[in-house]
Amino acid sequence: MSRVLTVVMMIVVLSFGIFLGTRLNTGHEQAPGSLKKMYEAYGLIRELYVDEVQGDSLVNSSIKGMVDYLDPHSVYLEPEKVVYSQAELEGNFDGIGIEFDIISDTLLVVSPLSGGPSAAVGVAAGDRILAIDSVSAIGITHQDVLRKLRGTRGSLVYLRVFRPFNGKYLDFKITRGRITTSSVDAAFVLPNGTGYIRLSRFAETTADEFRAALARLKKQGMKKLLVDLRGNPGGILDQAVSVADEFLPKGKMIVYTKSVKNSIEDAQYLATSNGGYETGEVILLVDRGSASASEILAGALQDNRRALVLGELTFGKGLVQRQYPFKDGSALRLTVSRYYTPSGRQIQRHYKKGVDGRESYYNEAATSLTPQKLFADNDSLLYLKNGDISVYRTGGFSAILSVPAQKSGDSRSVAALRNAGGVVPDYWVTGKPYSDFYQELYRTGSFDDLAQRVLDNPASSVQQYRKSMERFLSEYSQDSRLESLVRKTCEAKKIRFDQSGFLFDRSNIALAIKARIAHQLFGAEAQIRVYVVQSDPLVKFSSQVPVTLVR
């Protein structure tokens, strides 16, 4: 190579280096060291990466990476997810009805919406969606999830799911439906005079809906009130505060929030005057799916000794998020404070930061603690045990958890409950599991098919109840051809008919079919009434437990 050519090449390389250095340093010379490093990495990737990379994609990925390092509830929302989230609160979209997240390239079901198409076929919180309509969902983006799962009402979507807590791969066929955010799924008076209100979420209209339902039940002469929060994933904090306000006298603490860094986020929420049900017995029903705003309501009424809480340990979400929009329509939903019950309990359960911590956080949610595993001496807490349920009296733990851990250390059970977070019920109730056969019928949507078979049969006794919900609920019993119908449905769906499972759960199968018939004839509330009135062991127990024990 000639000396002249060598000099020319050196000048070219030096010029490129100067050009590149200028491009990389433009606009961030004054940035702090750590931020300058990010600018430099961005510039290097834009200028030198082997393939073309969009700047917006790099920025979005950077934000998501930062957020993934934080707690499990802080999240970056791309524009379509922002629109979708708002629609969930306003109730104006068609889809399959799930709250989801993407963790380590895996599509995770955070919660199926109560009463939605996914919940109807048995999709569960913690399920991993592996494929949508036979196309892999591994590595899917939020935008693609919305495009694939939302669609025309009545159209079908097929999901391949992995359920980690039992290691099973499951296939679901889901019919898209209208996803409404009506918060009160049902409100009626039970035969024993107890009012029953089921709240499925806390959306923009929840408090108004609740007040209206409460007024109706009071006019019907209810003697006490059951508020069912099972499966309620939460929602808007202010709405939970407004509902709690209906039960508490003026000045009582409902919830308070605290931030380590930003005192503007510190707030106290106190009850006002003229609540709709400040006297009278109240029982709340909760389970592991009761989260966030549900836990605010449960914690407020429990700490103020205004209600008895029955069911399972709740989810344990005690972080408050604010949503900060960007000009492109995306948003950062960022945790800004923690909330505490009136006695000072922090509801948020333990979590580890980072992607791995986020994934284990949701895994643990699917496998909740049980009193049988948690307490070394079960008999000391055992209140009731029969063929349907086991009940442990655990109300004393709420007071223990309200004070900081002692220097000497907590007992094993108390330490486990601190890590688990959530609201510990006054009575922890566990029921017997369904057979695998029943669960398979549930998962495959077979109960809806069976209900349709019964309704389509002109000779079925159900035909005489089509015009009267009350007669149907009180008089209709299982179809005389139940086993034959189940066998035919199993054959059509290629499900192995399990005789022992059928006999074990025969009454539950018949009841599930009746509930689906009620839904098709009279609507969602009728379906809920079938279960609540005829088979719900927690509702049955609520009529036996003395509420005055915690007054």
Side-chain angles (χ1 to χ4, degrees), residues 34-272:
S34 57
L35 190 57
K36 184 177 180 181
K37 180 180 178 180
M38 191 167 70
Y39 275 125
E40 290 175 352
Y42 174 85
L44 285 168
I45 294 171
R46 287 299 308 273
E47 297 295 339
L48 299 180
Y49 184 66
V50 63
D51 294 322
E52 184 67 27
V53 180
Q54 296 297 319
D56 287 348
S57 298
L58 285 177
V59 171
N60 291 343
S61 296
S62 298
I63 297 173
K64 189 176 188 305
M66 288 188 288
V67 173
D68 282 348
Y69 173 73
L70 306 177
D71 65 273
H73 298 290
S74 289
V75 62
Y76 171 65
L77 303 174
E78 296 185 359
E80 286 185 79
K81 185 65 184 290
V82 173
V83 174
Y84 181 83
S85 297
Q86 186 60 33
E88 283 184 314
L89 294 177
E90 296 174 353
N92 56 358
F93 67 96
D94 297 329
I96 68 168
I98 62 168
E99 182 181 346
F100 69 89
D101 198 357
I102 296 175
I103 299 176
S104 299
D105 292 328
T106 302
L107 179 55
L108 170 80
V109 178
V110 175
S111 175
L113 299 183
S114 177
S118 292
V121 298
V123 174
D127 282 351
R128 272 64 169 169
I129 299 177
L130 305 180
I132 303 172
D133 290 333
S134 300
V135 177
S136 174
I138 305 301
I140 196 170
T141 65
H142 276 86
Q143 295 99 313
D144 285 339
V145 174
L146 299 180
R147 291 190 190 102
K148 289 175 178 289
L149 297 185
R150 295 170 72 175
T152 306
R153 195 182 319 176
S155 59
L156 297 175
V157 61
Y158 296 86
L159 301 184
R160 175 73 167 171
V161 162
F162 174 68
R163 187 161 290 170
F165 72 88
N166 62 15
K168 291 184 177 180
Y169 292 88
L170 308 170
D171 294 299
F172 292 98
K173 181 177 74 172
I174 305 173
T175 303
R176 292 183 179 92
R178 186 66 168 174
I179 307 303
T180 65
T181 55
S182 173
S183 305
V184 176
D185 286 353
F188 51 86
V189 177
L190 295 167
N192 64 2
T194 299
Y196 173 91
I197 298 178
R198 180 174 180 178
L199 278 177
S200 60
R201 59 185 65 83
F202 288 88
E204 293 176 351
T205 60
T206 296
D208 289 339
E209 290 179 51
F210 184 82
R211 292 186 193 101
L214 187 62
R216 289 198 306 272
L217 299 185
K218 288 167 68 176
K219 285 184 178 179
Q220 295 174 33
M222 71 172 179
K223 299 175 183 177
K224 65 179 180 178
L225 179 62
L226 276 180
V227 181
D228 194 343
L229 299 173
R230 289 175 292 181
N232 184 325
I236 301 173
L237 182 148
D238 290 346
Q239 294 294 309
V241 169
S242 294
V243 172
D245 197 1
E246 294 299 306
F247 299 98
L248 297 171
K250 184 177 181 179
K252 288 291 186 179
M253 175 77 72
I254 295 174
V255 66
Y256 65 94
T257 61
K258 290 180 64 176
S259 173
V260 174
K261 294 173 63 177
N262 191 358
S263 61
I264 197 172
E265 296 296 343
D266 295 351
Q268 292 185 348
Y269 297 84
L270 304 178
T272 61

Side-chain angles (χ1 to χ4, degrees), residues 259-335:
S259 173
V260 174
K261 294 173 63 177
N262 191 358
S263 61
I264 197 172
E265 296 296 343
D266 295 351
Q268 292 185 348
Y269 297 84
L270 304 178
T272 61
S273 57
N274 301 319
Y277 201 69
E278 292 184 3
T279 59
E281 294 183 359
V282 184
I283 294 177
L284 302 183
L285 308 182
V286 298
D287 64 8
R288 195 58 173 174
S290 307
S292 187
S294 293
E295 293 170 298
I296 289 175
L297 176 58
L301 299 193
Q302 186 182 59
D303 279 3
N304 283 293
R305 295 189 174 275
R306 182 65 190 91
L308 196 66
V309 180
L310 310 182
E312 299 174 327
L313 180 70
T314 60
F315 183 91
K317 179 185 180 295
L319 302 176
V320 181
Q321 289 76 43
R322 285 196 187 278
Q323 190 159 301
Y324 299 94
F326 297 115
K327 290 182 179 179
D328 65 351
S330 62
L332 178 62
R333 186 177 292 169
L334 185 67
T335 295

Side-chain angles (χ1 to χ4, degrees), residues 72-73 101 103 108 110 126 315 358-366:
H73 298 290
D101 198 357
I103 299 176
L108 170 80
V110 175
F315 183 91
R358 191 174 287 232
E359 185 169 2
S360 63
Y361 179 80
Y362 286 107
N363 275 340
E364 292 164 2

Side-chain angles (χ1 to χ4, degrees), residues 439-452:
Q439 294 181 57
E440 181 71 2
L441 293 175
Y442 182 80
R443 180 187 65 79
T444 55
S446 297
F447 293 131
D448 288 303
D449 290 350
L450 284 159
Q452 196 59 57

